[in-house]
Amino acid sequence: MLAALESGVKGGIWFSLMDKVASKRNLEAATQQVVANKGGSGVDRVTVTQFCARSETEIEKLMADLKAGTYSPQAIRRVMIPKPGSTEKRPLGIPTVRDRVVQTALLNVLEPIYEKTFAAHSYGFRPNRGCKDALRRVSKLLAAGHTWIVDADLKSYFDTIPHERLMSLVRERVADGAVLKLIESFLSQPIFEELSEWIPETGTPQGAVISPLLSNLYLNRLDHLMAESGYEMVRYADDFVVLCRSQREAEEALRTIATWTGEAGLSLHPSKTKIVGLDDKNGFDFLGYHFRRSKKRPDKINCWPRNKSLLSLREKLRPQTRRTQGNNLAYIIAKINPILRGWFEYYKHSTIRSDFDDIEGWIRGRLRTMLRRRLKRKGIARGSDHQRWPNAYFATRGLFSLLAAHASERAPVLS
């Protein structure tokens, strides 16, 4: 198959793929991938550990069902999870472990086929690409003078992708009837939420293994249209911006996007989609960062964690630093340090230090309040507590310092 990908197949269409999807080697590899990703149980309540314990039997059964065409996915368990830094919630579909294994095996076969057709400026859920690559591209374009931004937001994208139009795109490269039937069965899996159950008529379930590939495939034509029209678009899944040199160019780009999305059965969010002229008062958010022109140096574009990213970090740290918990300080620091290090690794490119300073002060304040309570004193930490437990006190006990880490990294730029 890899050799055929290099040399090409007749007509560019694959007619025989189910034997590859259902091969023992592929299903074993898919099982290992699902186990590594962990995740919850589906409607059958079978955990990853339970599936793994009888994986040999499960794989043999999957092989037989897939080759016979009798495999049928179970319903998806849907839960609502909080959006980081927001009071809103988003739906997450959790397929059974068995279905996740089959979807992963299917993805292993389909991804190399469609990956070759994807545009260069698409970065989400693709091999050897990630958020930092998309952010670096944005940073380079801003530095080159593309400072009029189309900040686009697709309204409920994953839930509104038209199935038949999506399948027509799948059929452009795949003609294996069994594989097409398998993909369609995943798109029409029943959704089970609390006491209700229904079959979706549009969309790909968020949380399904195959969804990112299918969602990229559906937007691929928009990617190529924008590139062919000379626009600099940077896309990560359904989050994308177009960086332009003038307001007029940005307005034309937005009209092109609006026309395409309307024809594709999608819609732009009316209040979240906008054109931003980058200056010292107006900026835009992308992949967790906020970009804005420097007040002191108009030739410089600053970036720092967006407000939702800062709120999300505090939400993660708050349960670990409650004043009522009984763990000792060393234990608490050991729990919050990995959170701080992981957050810093992503946001170390910030050109503004004040957010790091604010977060550190907030954390130390919560720790001081906790220590104050253990001395049988009420209320939050105040003046004398800062002398009793100065900043150096926490540093000597190993609390990770965002400011110190940022200084030692010399604020690496996104380039």
Side-chain angles (χ1 to χ4, degrees):
M1 182 177 177
L2 290 173
L5 282 168
E6 292 299 323
S7 59
V9 292
K10 188 175 181 180
I13 301 176
W14 294 77
F15 287 90
S16 179
L17 290 174
M18 182 52 80
D19 60 318
K20 300 169 182 63
V21 173
S23 73
K24 186 174 183 180
R25 184 178 178 184
N26 187 24
L27 288 169
E28 287 175 342
T31 300
Q32 292 175 2
Q33 290 169 264
V34 171
V35 170
N37 290 333
K38 299 180 181 179
S41 57
V43 293
D44 61 359
R45 299 298 175 184
V46 174
T47 66
V48 170
T49 302
Q50 291 169 334
F51 184 92
C52 195
R54 56 175 190 260
S55 61
E56 189 171 336
T57 302
E58 292 282 4
I59 287 173
E60 291 295 334
K61 180 72 164 59
L62 287 175
M63 287 174 59
D65 288 348
L66 287 167
K67 289 177 180 178
T70 56
Y71 173 84
S72 179
Q74 293 177 268
I76 290 176
R77 182 167 69 90
R78 194 184 207 191
V79 296
M80 302 300 290
I81 60 174
K83 285 186 176 182
S86 170
T87 57
E88 298 179 20
K89 292 187 177 183
R90 67 178 179 87
L92 177 66
I94 306 176
T96 63
V97 177
R98 184 172 183 264
D99 289 341
R100 298 208 296 269
V101 169
V102 174
Q103 286 195 26
T104 303
L106 182 62
L107 179 66
N108 290 344
V109 172
L110 295 181
E111 186 175 67
I113 295 172
Y114 293 106
E115 175 64 24
K116 293 176 69 68
T117 71
F118 289 159
H121 61 250
S122 167
Y123 295 92
F125 307 112
R126 296 183 59 188
N128 304 314
R129 286 169 171 251
C131 291
K132 291 288 185 77
D133 299 304
L135 289 166
R136 290 186 186 99
R137 180 61 180 156
V138 166
S139 182
K140 287 181 180 178
L141 289 168
L142 290 173
H146 295 75
T147 55
W148 280 89
I149 317 299
V150 179
D151 188 359
D153 187 281
L154 290 172
K155 189 176 182 180
S156 303
Y157 171 60
F158 283 89
D159 290 334
T160 58
I161 300 173
H163 286 174
E164 187 48 48
R165 294 182 187 183
L166 173 60
M167 288 306 301
S168 70
L169 295 174
V170 174
R171 294 187 192 99
E172 289 181 0
R173 290 287 181 270
V174 173
D176 186 320
V179 169
L180 294 172
K181 180 182 175 183
L182 184 61
I183 296 171
E184 288 176 331
S185 72
F186 285 126
L187 291 176
S188 59
Q189 279 178 272
I191 305 294
F192 185 80
E193 183 177 6
E194 295 181 345
L195 299 177
S196 61
E197 185 174 347
W198 72 95
I199 295 177
E201 297 180 358
T202 59
T204 61
Q206 294 189 53
V209 178
I210 199 69
S211 288
L213 176 66
L214 296 177
S215 65
N216 270 338
L217 178 60
Y218 200 72
L219 289 179
N220 191 39
R221 286 192 172 176
L222 174 63
D223 292 337
H224 286 289
L225 170 64
M226 297 301 286
E228 290 163 4
S229 301
Y231 298 119
E232 296 287 1
M233 186 167 88
V234 182
R235 182 174 69 82
Y236 190 96
D238 61 333
D239 193 359
F240 62 91
V241 290
V242 185
L243 295 96
C244 306
R245 290 189 176 274
S246 67
Q247 182 177 358
R248 180 179 178 181
E249 183 185 351
E251 290 169 348
E252 292 171 349
L254 181 53
R255 280 195 292 271
T256 300
I257 294 169
T259 299
W260 186 90
T261 52
E263 293 172 351
L266 305 174
S267 59
L268 292 169
H269 199 293
S271 61
K272 294 182 180 180
T273 299
K274 56 186 180 296
I275 292 175
V276 178
L278 212 62
D279 56 29
D280 61 359
K281 295 181 181 178
N282 298 292
F284 69 98
D285 296 335
F286 186 61
L287 299 182
Y289 275 89
H290 181 78
F291 293 85
R292 191 181 300 184
R293 193 180 295 279
S294 170
K295 289 183 179 181
K296 296 181 180 179
R297 289 182 50 189
D299 61 322
K300 181 182 179 183
I301 306 296
N302 283 323
C303 66
W304 60 85
R306 69 172 186 165
N307 289 335
K308 284 187 177 180
S309 304
L310 296 168
L311 290 172
S312 176
L313 176 61
R314 294 194 183 208
E315 287 175 7
K316 288 181 181 178
L317 293 171
R318 191 169 276 111
Q320 309 293 339
T321 55
R322 286 197 178 99
R323 71 182 78 176
T324 54
Q325 67 160 291
N327 296 309
N328 62 44
L329 184 61
Y331 177 87
I332 295 168
I333 288 175
K335 293 287 286 185
I336 65 177
N337 273 353
I339 298 173
L340 290 171
R341 288 194 181 97
W343 190 87
F344 174 76
E345 184 58 33
Y346 188 78
Y347 290 105
K348 65 184 179 182
H349 308 285
S350 173
T351 56
I352 305 294
R353 293 166 53 90
S354 58
D355 286 329
F356 295 162
D357 196 16
D358 290 345
I359 292 169
E360 286 199 7
W362 178 80
I363 294 170
R364 288 192 298 264
R366 289 182 67 83
L367 294 177
R368 288 188 184 105
T369 298
M370 180 193 71
L371 294 171
R372 175 188 174 89
R373 181 183 175 86
R374 293 179 183 180
L375 294 179
K376 309 298 182 183
R377 302 175 68 186
K378 296 181 180 180
I380 62 172
R382 56 196 67 176
S384 61
D385 296 319
H386 290 259
Q387 281 74 53
R388 183 176 289 107
W389 300 293
N391 294 355
Y393 175 85
F394 299 104
T396 57
R397 279 151 182 80
L399 180 64
F400 180 79
S401 170
L402 296 170
L403 283 171
H406 191 261
S408 66
E409 288 275 355
R410 298 184 180 274
V413 296
L414 282 162
S415 62

